[in-house]
Amino acid sequence: MSTTDATETTTARRKPLGNAAKAALGDGRAGSRDAGRKPTTTIIVTAILAIVALYFLVPVYWVVINATKSTEDLFATSGFWFGENFQLWENIRAVFDANGGIFPRWGLNSLLYSGVGSVLATYFSVAAGYALAKYRFRGRKLVYGMVLGGVLVPGTAVALPLFFLFSSIGITNTVWAVLIPSLVSPFGLFLASIYANAAVPDELLEAGRIDGVGELGLFHRIALPQLTPAIVTVLLFQFVAIWNNYMLPLVMLADEKLYPITLGLDNWRAQTDRLPEFYQLTTTGALLSVIPLAILILVLQRFWRGGLTEGSVKG
């Protein structure tokens, strides 16, 4: 058989290319998908994201702008542009000096409640979620159902029952009255159990048991490094939730020195009817109160993003 005949035979045996394959070969993206690349879809998704971004950023912009104004300019000028006098530093100094310098005390209280509460709640949530995901025991489904029920119950619904309970044991108007409820996070437990079930292979745990590693060692040395994204996520959610919590401190605390920032700022806002200068103190204090949250998110986002993408591409 000649070379020409062999070539014609090979060509005849080839299957004709479909339209999708021809399109992929034509633009150099063999095997790629066209889903989500339509201009209309891109425009709609971008518009929705822009609206959501505006929804969250406009209040922050308003606070930043109005924290630079005097009390007179706060009401005499537009809320979305600067006033005649830029006095941000004077306002910050006034916030720290007001009520005998109580604002730094509120900030330390919020850091105590949020820092200790979020760290311990994250550890407990991840440990319990890991146990629910990797161990089979009697009553597991019941416990899981109670966790889901806890996710559905808002914190405001349990604030008053907690007050009566803590009042009966004499710990209301103390740090413990705010700190103890912060150690429980049903959502964090639920999220950790879902992630542990997917991210921690049973084969890896069995290999550790064969090597003589105990159950606590399996959790701390093998499971925790695999659960970094879940840990960071639960920590962020819990820290923000405790930092912004208003109802629980309102019910539990009577001493102004134990107030977190949220309750302290509301206390200032309540005085604006007879003391208009507290409008400016409340606005500037609100600006200062979001700085720790922004710092925390900026510091932890690389661990969050890196953990979520880890293992997405396998060689």
Side-chain angles (χ1 to χ4, degrees):
M1 187 186 307
S2 62
T3 305
T4 304
D5 295 337
T7 303
E8 292 177 353
T9 302
T10 305
T11 304
R13 291 178 178 175
R14 292 175 181 170
K15 295 181 179 180
L17 294 176
N19 293 331
K22 291 179 180 179
L25 289 175
D27 62 3
R29 294 185 291 107
S32 63
R33 297 180 178 180
D34 294 333
R37 295 182 180 272
K38 295 181 180 180
T40 305
T41 304
T42 303
I43 293 173
I44 293 175
V45 172
T46 304
I48 293 175
L49 292 177
I51 294 173
V52 173
L54 286 174
Y55 176 80
F56 287 104
L57 292 178
V58 166
V60 177
Y61 172 79
W62 187 94
V63 169
V64 171
I65 293 297
N66 289 277
T68 65
K69 300 179 182 180
S70 63
T71 303
E72 294 77 12
D73 289 341
L74 184 64
F75 295 98
T77 60
S78 171
F80 294 95
W81 196 244
F82 297 97
E84 296 181 0
N85 300 316
F86 185 89
Q87 57 177 54
L88 175 62
W89 310 119
E90 291 83 355
N91 292 336
I92 293 176
R93 190 179 304 111
V95 167
F96 280 93
D97 293 338
N99 288 19
I102 195 66
F103 185 83
R105 178 67 178 267
W106 293 342
L108 292 176
N109 291 338
S110 290
L111 286 176
L112 172 65
Y113 301 146
S114 302
V116 176
S118 61
V119 170
L120 293 179
T122 300
Y123 179 82
F124 295 151
S125 298
V126 173
Y130 165 80
L132 284 176
K134 293 302 173 183
Y135 294 100
R136 300 295 181 265
F137 52 89
R138 182 177 298 178
R140 175 177 173 272
K141 292 184 179 180
L142 177 61
V143 173
Y144 203 77
M146 294 177 62
V147 170
L148 291 178
V151 174
L152 300 177
V153 177
T156 54
V158 299
L160 194 57
L162 282 175
F163 171 77
F164 289 122
L165 175 63
F166 289 170
S167 178
S168 64
I169 59 179
I171 63 172
T172 55
N173 199 31
T174 65
V175 172
W176 300 108
V178 178
L179 192 58
I180 292 177
S182 302
L183 303 181
V184 180
S185 175
F187 172 76
L189 197 158
F190 172 71
L191 179 64
S193 67
I194 295 297
Y195 197 89
N197 190 45
V200 182
D202 293 334
E203 296 80 6
L204 189 62
L205 299 178
E206 290 299 329
R209 292 188 180 100
I210 293 174
D211 290 338
V213 181
E215 296 301 324
L216 287 178
L218 290 175
F219 172 66
H220 290 99
R221 294 165 54 186
I222 296 179
L224 279 184
Q226 306 295 324
L227 299 175
T228 300
I231 293 172
V232 175
T233 303
V234 174
L235 181 67
L236 283 174
F237 273 93
Q238 191 68 4
F239 188 95
V240 173
I242 300 173
W243 186 274
N244 294 329
N245 194 1
Y246 170 77
M247 181 58 66
L248 183 66
L250 177 65
V251 172
M252 295 292 181
L253 302 177
D255 187 358
E256 187 182 39
K257 294 181 180 180
L258 298 177
Y259 284 179
I261 283 183
T262 51
L263 191 56
L265 291 178
D266 184 71
N267 187 35
W268 280 357
R269 183 204 56 78
Q271 303 180 50
T272 53
D273 292 337
R274 55 188 181 84
L275 298 172
E277 62 269 18
F278 275 92
Y279 277 113
Q280 198 56 51
L281 294 177
T282 304
T283 303
T284 308
L287 173 63
L288 296 176
S289 69
V290 302
I291 293 178
L293 300 180
I295 293 175
L296 182 68
I297 292 175
L298 291 176
V299 170
L300 294 181
Q301 69 171 349
R302 66 188 186 93
F303 299 101
W304 194 12
R305 184 171 50 197
L308 289 175
T309 57
E310 184 179 359
S312 60
V313 179
K314 296 183 179 180

